[in-house]
């Protein structure tokens, strides 16, 4: 009987500990589920979602920008309603950071599924734009080809029109010749022929004068080029001769002259030594020649003791 109350107390304590541990584990699971689940969780059962609304506790939340819907363009981007799962500071910061308030509005993304859906949508738009750009490129190539063919056709039409105009002028000239054939020449025609001859002679004279003037101009240009080259060379020589020496040039010239002076001094010392050596050799030769003259016998003396 004494052991039963003790066992009951131990059993109650273990049950309380188990309930506390279960509550702690349930709370940890709920918090972990809330951070990873994109929808709001049911506190009574974390594995189920109470509503299909996005969760405000999800750690994977980002605010991006989409084009402003037509119903909000008149009132502006501030008229867009704030999502209930986004806090006021985050929403106000998103509105302040809007790069183009007249065209864009903030849109929250909650969880990986929303990000995946946005990536798929952007990829589809990118593929559509790429297809449209490809069609535009093909249309541009077709238009360029058509423009080139139209330009060639226009050139050919202009050439044909010019040829037809020349043929028409030739036919008109022949018709005029046939019409005037056999008719007497009028005084106006004679005067026109005379004036045309004078104009032709004047034109020939002008052409000859222009050719002569062109030849004279060439000769004058050659003469001026020759004179200019000579004058330029003289000016360069005079400028080089009259140009004052710079400090660097003076220093270099002083160094060269100093080296030449030192070289001349060394040559002078060498020459002095050579002259001294030559004098010594000359004195030794004179001494040797005088000693030989004393040792030789006078002429006509007999030498005895020789064999």
């Amino acid at each position: 009987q004494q052991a039963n109350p003790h066992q009951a107390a131990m059993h109650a304590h273990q049950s309380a500990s188990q309930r506390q541990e279960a509550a702690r584990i349930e709370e940890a699971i709920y918090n972990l589920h809330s951070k990873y689940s994109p929808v709001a969780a049911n506190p009574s059962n974390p594995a189920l979602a109470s509503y299909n609304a996005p969760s405000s506790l999800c750690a994977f939340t980002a605010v991006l920008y989409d084009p402003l819907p037509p119903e909000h363009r008149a009132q502006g981007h501030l008229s867009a309603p704030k999502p209930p799962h986004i806090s006021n500071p985050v929403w106000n910061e998103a509105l302040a950071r809007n790069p183009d308030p007249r065209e864009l509005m903030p849109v929250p993304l909650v969880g990986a599924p929303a990000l995946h859906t946005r990536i798929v949508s952007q990829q589809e738009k990118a593929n559509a734009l790429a297809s449209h750009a490809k069609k535009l490129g093909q249309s541009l190539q077709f238009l360029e080809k058509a423009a080139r063919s139209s330009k060639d056709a226009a050139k050919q039409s202009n050439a044909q029109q010019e040829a037809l105009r020349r043929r028409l002028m030739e036919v008109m000239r022949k018709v005029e010749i046939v019409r005037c054939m056999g008719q007497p020449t009028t005084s106006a025609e004679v005067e026109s022929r005379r004036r045309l001859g004078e104009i032709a002679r004047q034109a020939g004279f002008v052409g000859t004068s222009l050719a002569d003037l062109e030849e004279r101009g060439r000769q004058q240009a050659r003469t001026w080029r020759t004179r200019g080259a000579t004058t330029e060379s003289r000016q360069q020589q005079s400028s080089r001769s009259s140009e004052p020496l710079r400090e660097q040039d003076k220093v270099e010239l002083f160094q060269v002259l100093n080296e030449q002076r030192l070289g001349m001094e060394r040559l002078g010392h060498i020459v002095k030594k050579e002259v001294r050596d030559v004098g010594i050799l000359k004195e030794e030769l004179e001494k040797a020649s005088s000693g030989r003259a004393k040792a030789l016998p006078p002429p006509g003396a007999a030498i005895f003791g020789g064999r």
Side-chain angles (χ1 to χ4, degrees), residues 258-296:
N258 191 21
E259 291 177 357
Q260 290 182 357
R261 182 181 62 80
L262 295 176
M264 294 297 292
E265 289 180 357
R266 286 194 293 270
L267 288 175
H269 292 308
I270 293 172
V271 169
K272 287 181 180 179
K273 290 181 181 180
E274 293 294 337
V275 170
R276 186 191 61 187
D277 295 339
V278 169
I280 293 172
L281 289 175
K282 187 176 180 182
E283 291 177 359
E284 293 294 333
L285 289 175
E286 290 178 354
K287 290 178 181 180
S289 60
S290 62
R292 286 182 181 179
K294 292 179 181 179
L296 291 175

Side-chain angles (χ1 to χ4, degrees), residues 68 72 75-80 91 95 98 100-102 104-106:
L68 192 65
H72 297 294
Q75 293 82 9
H77 69 289
L78 296 177
S79 62
W91 184 252
L95 292 176
N98 192 345
D100 190 358
R102 292 179 297 181
L104 301 176
M105 64 171 291

Side-chain angles (χ1 to χ4, degrees), residues 51-283:
Y51 301 101
N52 201 14
S55 173
S56 61
L57 302 177
C58 183
F60 298 95
T61 304
V63 178
L64 302 178
Y65 296 92
D66 282 348
L68 192 65
E71 59 270 14
H72 297 294
R73 286 187 178 274
Q75 293 82 9
H77 69 289
L78 296 177
S79 62
K82 181 183 78 66
H85 59 281
I86 299 298
S87 62
N88 289 328
V90 174
W91 184 252
N92 294 332
E93 183 180 0
L95 292 176
R97 291 177 176 272
N98 192 345
D100 190 358
R102 292 179 297 181
E103 298 293 336
L104 301 176
M105 64 171 291
V107 175
L109 294 182
V110 181
L115 181 60
H116 176 71
T117 303
R118 187 177 183 86
I119 292 175
V120 171
S121 175
Q122 289 181 349
Q123 188 65 36
E124 291 177 354
K125 291 181 180 178
N127 293 334
L129 291 175
S131 177
H132 186 59
K134 185 177 180 181
K135 291 181 180 178
L136 289 177
Q138 294 175 356
S139 301
L140 179 60
Q141 292 179 358
F142 174 76
L143 291 176
E144 288 179 350
K145 185 178 180 180
R148 286 194 297 268
S149 60
S150 300
K151 189 175 181 180
D152 295 339
K155 287 183 179 179
Q156 293 178 2
S157 299
N158 291 333
Q160 292 176 1
Q161 183 179 2
E162 184 65 20
L164 291 174
R165 188 182 67 82
R166 291 180 180 179
R167 289 181 61 185
L168 177 61
M169 293 298 294
E170 184 68 20
V171 170
M172 291 176 64
R173 186 180 70 83
K174 291 180 179 180
V175 170
E176 188 67 18
I177 291 173
V178 171
R179 186 180 66 84
C180 297
M181 188 177 296
Q183 295 183 2
T185 304
T186 61
S187 59
E189 292 176 348
V190 174
E191 181 65 20
S192 299
R193 183 180 297 176
R194 184 185 64 80
R195 291 181 61 184
L196 182 61
E198 290 180 359
I199 292 172
R201 286 193 298 270
Q202 291 177 3
F205 177 74
V206 170
T208 305
S209 301
L210 288 176
D212 188 17
L213 182 60
E214 184 179 2
E215 184 63 27
R216 290 183 181 180
R218 290 177 181 175
Q219 293 179 0
Q220 188 68 23
R222 287 194 293 268
T223 304
W224 278 109
R225 282 198 296 269
T226 305
R227 290 181 181 178
T230 306
T231 306
E232 185 178 358
S233 62
R234 289 179 180 176
Q235 289 178 356
Q236 289 179 358
Q237 292 178 359
S238 61
S239 62
R240 290 177 182 175
S241 60
S242 61
E243 184 179 0
L245 293 177
R246 298 176 298 177
E247 293 296 330
Q248 185 178 1
D249 297 336
K250 291 180 180 180
V251 172
E252 293 178 356
L253 180 60
F254 176 75
Q255 293 178 356
V256 172
L257 293 177
N258 191 21
E259 291 177 357
Q260 290 182 357
R261 182 181 62 80
L262 295 176
M264 294 297 292
E265 289 180 357
R266 286 194 293 270
L267 288 175
H269 292 308
I270 293 172
V271 169
K272 287 181 180 179
K273 290 181 181 180
E274 293 294 337
V275 170
R276 186 191 61 187
D277 295 339
V278 169
I280 293 172
L281 289 175
K282 187 176 180 182
E283 291 177 359

